[in-house]
Structures are given as C-alpha cells and as structure tokens.
Amino acid sequence: MLTLWTRVVQAAFIFLTTESIGVLLDPCGHISPESPVVQLGSNFTAVCVLKEKLPPEKPKNLNCIVNEEKNMMCQWDPGRKTYLETNYTLKSEWATEKFADCKAQRDTPNSCTLDYSPVYFVNIEVWVEAENALGNITSDHINFDPIDKVKPNPPHNLSVRSSEELSSILKLAWINPSIKSFLRLKYSIQYRTKDASTWSQIPPEDTSSTRSSFTVQDLKPFTEYVFRIRCMKEDGKGFWSDWSEEASGITYEARPSKEPSFWYKIDPSHTHGYRPVKLIWKTLPPFEANGKILDYEVTLTRWKSHFQNYRVNDTKLTVNLTNDRYIATLTARNLVGRSDASVLTIPACDFRAAHPVMDLKAFPKDNKLWVEWTAPTESVNKYILEWCVLSDKSPCIPDWQQEDGTVHLTYLRGNLMESKCYLITVTPVYADGPGSPESVRAYLKQAAPSKGPTVRTKKVGKNEAVLEWDQLPVDVQNGFIRNYTILYKTAFGNETAVNVDSSHTEYTLSSLTSDTLYMVRMAAYTDEGGMYGPDFTFTTPKFAQGEIEAIVVPVCLAFLLTTLLGVLFCFNKRDLIKKHIWPNVPDPSKSHIAQWSPHTPLRHNFNSKDQMYSDGNFTDVSVVEIEVNDKKPFPEDLKSMDLFKKEKNSTEGHSSGIGGSSCMSSSRPSISSGDENESGQNTLSTVQYSTVVHSGYRHQVPPVQVFSRSESTQPLLDSEERPEDLQLVDNVDSGDGVLPRQQYFKQNCSQHETSQDISHFERPKQVSSVNEEDFVRLKQQQISDHISQSCGSEQMKMFQEISTAAVFGPGTEGEVERFETVEMEAAIDEGMPKSYLPQTVRQGGYVPQ
Amino acid sequence: MAPFFWLPGILSLLLVLHWEHGAGSPTPDKATCTTDHPCPSNLMTQIKNQLEQLNSTANTLFVLYYTAQGEPFPSEVDKLCGGHDLTNFPPFHAEGTEKDKLVELYRIIAYFNISLGNIMEDQKTLNPNDQNLHSKLSSTADTVRGLLNNVLCHLCNEYNMGHVDMSFGPDISGNDIFHKKKLGCQCLFNYKQVIAELTQAF
C-alpha cells in the first residue's frame, strides 16, 4: 500500500512535467515536508510552479545610434519573456549589399552593437529577427542614412582667452570632430562662474552653424568663468555629442563699480581736545571690486580747506580729530581705476543725533535674518546695520553692513549662528551726520533652552509659597522665553501645572496644604520647546507665621496679669494672709496664765504687746502654732460656739494627752491610744507640753488652748482625771465615731493632723487671756451644740478635724484659705488680746506647776 | 563588415570586367538591374555628400600615405608622386548628362576601389603597424563602396542600367616595394585631384 501511494505521488510529478495545452513545461515542484517516501495517511503539500514557454514577440521600437568613428548600436523592445533560449539577430543591408549579422548577447537581448562605423550617406536597412524553439519573428524594417543617426565626437581642445580691451568678454576656441569635414554642425555652449553650480546657456541661434570659435559677451569683469561645448548635425538629426572637457578663463579687470561701505566709531574718551575716530570700511566683493584692490584712499576734510589724505591697505584707519565737523571720503583703487567716493560726515562733538528709524523689526526667513524698518521722513543717505551676539560670557563684538538710503528691508550678510541672540542696531545716516540708532533683538533660529530655570522659595506659608527664580542667562535661552511652566505636586498627589508669563520672576502657589512636602520643577519655553530646571522641594509649615505668637502672647499676658493681680491682692492683704499662714503664737511665758498663777510671779504684762515680746526668754516655753483651717466661714455665733466646743474637747484632750505624756498620766491611755496615729505618740514621746495656747478666733473669745511645756513631773490636775469630763468628751467624739487625738492644730486640712511640721511651732503667737467663767460657759455650750449638731457638716469640717478623727478628712485649700482669711480679719479687728485668750482652768483643771 | 564589403566590390569588378570585355560604352542590363529595396529619394544628395566626404579626406589620406612610406617620399613627394604616373583614372566629362556623369563616376570610383584595395593589401605588408593609415585607407574604401552602391542604385532605379563596361587598371603586382609605394602614392595623388574634380562636377 505504501508503494502504491509512492507511485501516485511520482505519477503526479510526471503529470506536472508533461506538456499541457501545447506549452512546454519543465519538471518542477516539490513536496512539503520533503521526503522521498510519503507515508500512507499522512498529509503533504505539493507545489509546482508552471513556467510557460512562449515564442518570441515581434521586437518593437527599433532604433540605432551611430557613434562617430566607432560603431553603430541598435536597440529594440524584445517584448514578453519567452522562458526559452531566444536569439535576437540584428540584420542590416544596403540596397545592393548585405552585411554581417549582429547577434545580441544573452544578457542584453534588446540591443546589439556593430563593431564598425557604417558608411555615411548610404541608406542602410536594419531589422531584428527573434527566434526560439517555438518560432521566429521579424521586426519592422527601418531604413536610414547613418549620418542622420550620428552622434559626433565632442569638440576638443576648448580654450578660453580674455580680452584686455573688453573686461566683459571671453573668447572660446575649439577643434571640431573630424566629421565636421563633411558634415555641418551646430553647437551648444554653456558657462558659469567658478563658484556657481548652475550653467548658463549661450543662445542656440548664435551657435547654429559650423564654427571653431565663439566670443562670449556680457560677462562680469575680473571673474573666472567655466565653459563647455558640444555639437550635433546642423539640421538637428542625430544626437548631441558628449560635452567637451571644461575650460575656464578670467575676464579682464575693470574699475570698481561701487564705492566701499564706510562707517566710523568714536572712542568716547577725549584727550586734550582730540577724539580718536576709527574709520572702518568693508572690502568690496569681487563683483564690485572688478579686480584686485590695490589700496584705499581716505581723505578727511575740515572746513573745506584742510585736507588730510591717507593711503591704506587695511580696512580701517584711526585718526585723532578735533571736535570739529569732518567730511571723510573713501575710494578703492585697482589696476584699472578707482571707485566712486564714499562720503561720510563726522559731526562735531556737540552734534545731537535724532530721527531714528521707526517700526524696526527683525525676523528669520529662508535661513536668513531679515531686518525691516520704516524710513524716517528725512532724506537718508544710507543706513548702517550693526549686530553682535549677546552673551553673558563674551563681549558684544559688532559686525556691520551698509545699505542704500532707499532700502528698508535687507538681511544680515554675516556668518550668523543659530540659537544665538543678536542685537541688531539700525542707524540712519543723514547728510549732516548719523541719526539716532534703534535696536532690536532677534534669533536666526530659535531652539529650546539649554537649561531650565532654577526655582526656589522666597517665602513659604502655611497654605501658600512664593517661588522665585532668576532669568535664564542669554547664553542658555536659545530663543525668546515665551513663558514658564511651574509643575508642583505632593509626594503622592497629582502634578499641577501653572503657566507664568515670561516677564515674571516669582509666583505664588496658593491653596497648599500645611505641613506637606511639595516638589516643584519649572520649565522655560521658547517657540521651539522648553527645558526643565532642577527639581526643588519645600515643606509647608504646620502653623502660619504669627499663629503661635497669637496664642502664646495673649496667654502669657493673661498669666502675667493674673499673677500681678494676685501679687497686688496678696500685698494688700498681706496681714490677713500672714495671720492665716503664720499666725502669731503667743509666748506662753508671757501668757496670762503665768500672770494669773498664784505660784508664779507675774513676769509679763499681757496687756501690753511690747511687753509680750520684750522678753525673749523662751527657753522654758514651747509654742505650738495653731492654725484653724476650714473651708467655709461660719456665722459668727456658730464659729464662736464651735470654737468653744472644740476648745473644750481639745483642751481636755490635749491636756490629758500632753499631761499623759509629759506627766506620765496613766489615766489617759484610752484617749491617746486606740485610733490615734503614731504621730501623736511620737509627739508625746518627743515633746512635752505643759500648756497649749490656742489663739482666738475673730471676735469670739476663743477657748484658750495654750499649752505650755511643763517641766513638772507632777500628776495632772483632777480635771484631767475627771471621768465625767472625759466621758463627755468621749461621748462627743464617739458620736462621730472618732476619738480626739490632735494635740495641736495644723494649717492644712489635707495633711494629717498628726503631722509634726515643726515650723508650726516656731512662730510665736500672742495669747490673750480670757475670763474663766466665760470660758466655762462657752465650753458647756460647745459641748451641747456639738452633740446636737452633725459633726459631718462641711462648714464644720476643719473644726472637726481639729477635734475628731472622723472629720479629719482632706479638705480643699481654697476653703481653708477662705476660712483663714476670715479668721485673720477677725484677729486684726479684735486685737491680739481678743483673739488669744489665756487658757482657763476649769473646775478640776490643773494649775501649772 | 570588411569581407562583406567586398561584395559590392566584386559586383563592381564584374561590372568593370564586363565593361572591359565590352570595350566601349556602358550597356544597361535590365535583366540584372534589381535591388533588394528601393533607393532613397535623396540619392543624388547622398552622392554629393559622399564625394565631399571623399574629397575632404583625400589630401589627408595622401599625406598620411607618403609620410608613412618614409624617405624619400616626404621630401620628394612631388617628384615621386606627382610626376608621370601609370595610374590613369578613367576619363570624366563634367559637361555630360547626369547619366553619363554617373556612369563615368562609377568607372572612376570602381577603378579607384580596386587600386585602393591593392594599396591596402600592400600596406599591410609594408607598414603593418601604421594603424592610422590602415584606418584611413579602410574608411576611404568603405566610403568608396558606399558611393558605388549609391551610383549603382541610382543608375538602376533611374536609368535601368544593370552594369557598366570599364577597363582594368595597371597591374602593379610583382613590382618591388619602392615601386609599389610609388604607384600607391601616385594613385592617391591622382585620386585627390580626381575626387576634387568630381566633387565640383556634382
């Protein structure tokens, strides 16, 4: 089966190679994938390109060209491709004679070249026969005289000669081709200047006959021209010969046809009445110089009589002129003659230029920089155009040119560069001197700036930033800066673009977010594009300028004012404050008790304040500074009642405590122990008091709580030992669930009553005496009130602290201060004798030993 | 082309032989007067141009020839070449009719063609390296054959003349080299004169 399929494929190839429809087919085709054997059931692709073999078509467009003295070549169009070896044969014959065939080459079946030059003036008949295996065919016959198909050899030995008589002509001469001996020719002569690229043609009618020379006219003097020539049969039949070799010649010199451009520069520095004037002029271009310029002649005329002549080979001349008006003339001289004079008026020193040109503008066009202006109303002799490259790095070195007075549009004939800023100045020159110059800037061709502007912040606010930048140096501008573009963005925000006019050098970015980093970059644009400068970042502050000051300053001022007011108030109330903070503690040695005691000689007169402090001997007296703190003042009656009540308690308690400690009384351990804190015990163990003097309170007669240190070891008085009194006190205290444990008053309620602040003991207080009967009455009233009233009252707090532990809780300082203030006022009003009463000894009390 | 260019020469030779054997006036032969294609209408102009062409190159050819032969020909050209010569061209009568002039022209050109052929053969031996001389001789011979073609075509088409009787030129074979050179120089000298006369006549 495999063999069968292989045979089928081979049969297909055979079929493809057989003749089909009368056309010969070469074996062709291939299968893909390539394989000598095709597997059964496999797919393959058979490709066959049929190349049809064709008989030759009739050659067309047969034509011949006779190259003089060389050969004759005939060409034709062979027609379609035959895919067969086809022979093309060029046949030729005279009327009476046949020539040898010319067989075309295989690679050039459309032409054949006879290797001999045909005979002129004898008609020859030419045709082409094409033949291959499928047939042959003959082209149409052409019959022609070879002389009508001739391409002559070009004229040779072309020479150019100038004429001394005429500077505008050149004489050409050449040798004609040999065919000229029996054939009339016509010519084509072309010429150009040496530097030109295009040829000019001599009019054909001037060269339509056989010749061997020709004179070319209307040429420019002292100019080198290049010539070439060709020829053909005069009647136009046949072909032009090739161009001859080029020949050149220079026309003879002529007088300079135009005066040189002439201008001057005055050095502004005057020296001794002279001014250095630099006369400058341009070399004449060759087409105006008309020869080699030998030298220039400069004439300076002053007042029409005084002449100065200079012969200069250079193009500048510096002379020192007076401040007078001068007329300068300049002529150029060559071998033939001199040019017209170029006249220039150098005005006097006091001349004031005026009448500038108007509407001066410059613009690039056709790769030239054109300058246009409107002429002044006055008659202008000529215009002087000056220009230079503006640069920050190099000075402005001007170039210049001169234009006639009728010109108002011209281009700068200098070697201008692109992307350079040119400063162009136009100065009209009048008969009496130069006019005012006008300037304009222009670019031959703009480009994008070489560098972008460097932006920076001038001021950064909470929500805005003022950006500033410097104008780009002219060297990097490369064109007119039309606008700036500022791009700014936050770290993660979109970029915002702002276009800024080129006249600005700063810009304020508004609506910024505070405390944010911004990235800014800036581009400068010319007409041809832009360039970005370096990136710049800044951070907006969290607070605006002055915002902190606006908050801090008023606060400080308020604080200062408050402080001042407080100080003033304290100063005004210093006595009251002193009374409450540092109350005067009476000297127990000067107490009435001492005076009152029958066993103790009166040592002090308590009625006299001076007497109280006159004796400074406190060696045997301990003073307890008594402070009364309470939050709220009491009504006078209630305070007095409370004080008396507390004094009762305190007196008893303290007396017993102190007495217990100092006198080692064994009857009061229940009072000084139990809930008492350690401070109380410490006090007992470290300080021995014999008497406690409690200062008075306002107008009340305070219970005397003056404890005087007792140096006696004698047991307490019976009043201390009286159980009813003690019970009474205990009952009062127990009603509040607190035992009296404080043996002295302290200032601050927040502190524990057992505080041992010694400072409280260092301030002596004057203690005033009191009537014992009053004291007893008040004591009794205090006890009854204390039982009937709640000891938890807020207003009674401080007093309760003093007397009971239950009400010894912390209180506010303000309340304490208010209370103290009132207390101090009372003390001032009533006087020391009223405030501090000497301790009274009740029934059962003790008498100091 | 050269071998085939001898075909008209052979034809002309036959005509000359016929003329020689005829020993007298030319006799047109209508039976043989056939051409492969018609002659151009400007045939006489072409004949004139050909005569001018031959005349313009005759002197150059003559100078080139005697120069190439070496001394004493350049120095004794008049004596050696312009004296009595044995190469008498057939007569030409400028006052004759166009047909007679064409017949006489044919005889002269046919005679010169044979002589030129002999000169070319001799110069191949005498001056084998003078390509310029060979080129000029060959070019002149081609032009002469073209002129013969035109004259024959014109005689045939216009006057129905198939052949022209003519006589042989002098037999220069067997002479020494100098004599061959001298005969050739005399031939070209006479040719220069004759062709100038013919150019004037037409």
Side-chain angles (χ1 to χ4, degrees), chain A residues 682-704:
Chain A
N682 291 336
T683 301
L684 292 174
S685 62
T686 57
V687 180
Q688 293 180 341
Y689 296 93
S690 60
T691 303
V692 176
V693 179
H694 186 197
S695 62
Y697 183 71
R698 291 195 176 186
H699 303 288
Q700 300 171 4
V701 178
V704 178

Side-chain angles (χ1 to χ4, degrees), chain A residues 413-652:
Chain A
R413 293 185 290 274
N415 187 18
L416 304 183
M417 295 176 289
E418 297 180 353
S419 307
K420 296 292 184 184
C421 182
Y422 286 95
L423 178 65
I424 304 167
T425 303
V426 177
T427 305
V429 179
Y430 302 100
D432 57 347
S436 297
E438 280 290 310
S439 297
V440 67
R441 295 184 179 197
Y443 286 86
L444 176 63
K445 184 175 175 58
Q446 297 188 51
S450 304
K451 293 180 180 178
T454 301
V455 66
R456 58 185 180 275
T457 53
K458 181 180 181 182
K459 178 184 177 184
V460 179
K462 181 180 177 182
N463 299 113
E464 66 177 20
V466 180
L467 303 178
E468 67 174 0
W469 59 91
D470 297 326
Q471 294 280 7
L472 287 177
V474 69
D475 292 306
V476 302
Q477 286 185 7
N478 297 337
F480 293 113
I481 301 298
R482 300 302 187 191
N483 67 286
Y484 296 106
T485 297
I486 300 173
L487 298 176
Y488 65 99
K489 66 175 183 178
T490 60
F492 304 103
N494 292 329
E495 200 166 46
T496 305
V498 179
N499 287 328
V500 182
D501 188 78
S502 61
S503 61
H504 296 169
T505 55
E506 67 176 43
Y507 183 79
T508 302
L509 299 178
S510 57
S511 303
L512 301 181
T513 306
S514 63
D515 194 22
T516 304
L517 176 67
Y518 281 90
M519 186 176 73
V520 182
R521 56 181 180 150
M522 186 174 181
Y525 282 88
T526 66
D527 292 336
E528 299 298 325
M531 175 63 74
Y532 280 94
D535 291 348
F536 177 76
T537 58
F538 67 89
T539 305
T540 54
K542 194 170 185 177
F543 299 101
Q545 186 176 12
E547 195 172 75
I548 296 176
E549 290 82 349
I551 296 172
V552 171
V553 170
V555 169
C556 291
L557 289 175
F559 177 77
L560 184 62
L561 184 61
T562 304
T563 305
L564 287 174
L565 290 174
V567 169
L568 287 175
F569 179 78
C570 294
F571 182 77
N572 290 333
K573 301 296 183 181
R574 61 185 181 278
D575 295 336
L576 186 60
I577 293 171
K578 183 178 180 183
K579 176 182 175 181
H580 283 275
I581 297 177
W582 300 284
N584 292 327
V585 178
D587 187 355
S589 62
K590 297 176 181 179
S591 66
H592 294 284
I593 295 176
Q595 297 173 358
W596 168 74
S597 174
H599 303 287
T600 304
L602 183 60
R603 294 190 302 180
H604 302 287
N605 184 9
F606 286 90
N607 291 328
S608 175
K609 199 170 184 178
D610 295 333
Q611 291 175 344
M612 289 176 61
Y613 295 98
S614 60
D615 189 358
N617 185 9
F618 288 90
T619 54
D620 55 349
V621 176
S622 295
V623 178
V624 176
E625 187 175 6
I626 300 171
E627 294 179 358
V628 178
N629 294 328
D630 199 357
K631 296 177 181 177
K632 294 180 181 179
F634 286 26
E636 294 293 325
D637 53 350
L638 292 177
K639 290 178 180 176
S640 60
M641 290 296 291
D642 186 64
L643 281 170
F644 280 107
K645 182 176 63 178
K646 288 195 290 185
E647 284 175 358
K648 169 68 176 176
N649 294 333
S650 301
T651 300
E652 292 177 354

Side-chain angles (χ1 to χ4, degrees), chain B residues 26 90-111 151 155 164 198 202:
Chain B
F92 178 75
H93 301 87
E95 66 279 7
T97 62
E98 181 182 87
K99 177 183 175 183
D100 293 339
K101 288 195 292 186
L102 286 173
V103 171
E104 290 177 350
L105 175 63
Y106 184 87
R107 288 179 179 149
I108 293 172
I109 297 301
Y111 175 83
V151 172
L155 288 175
V164 176
L198 293 175
F202 289 92

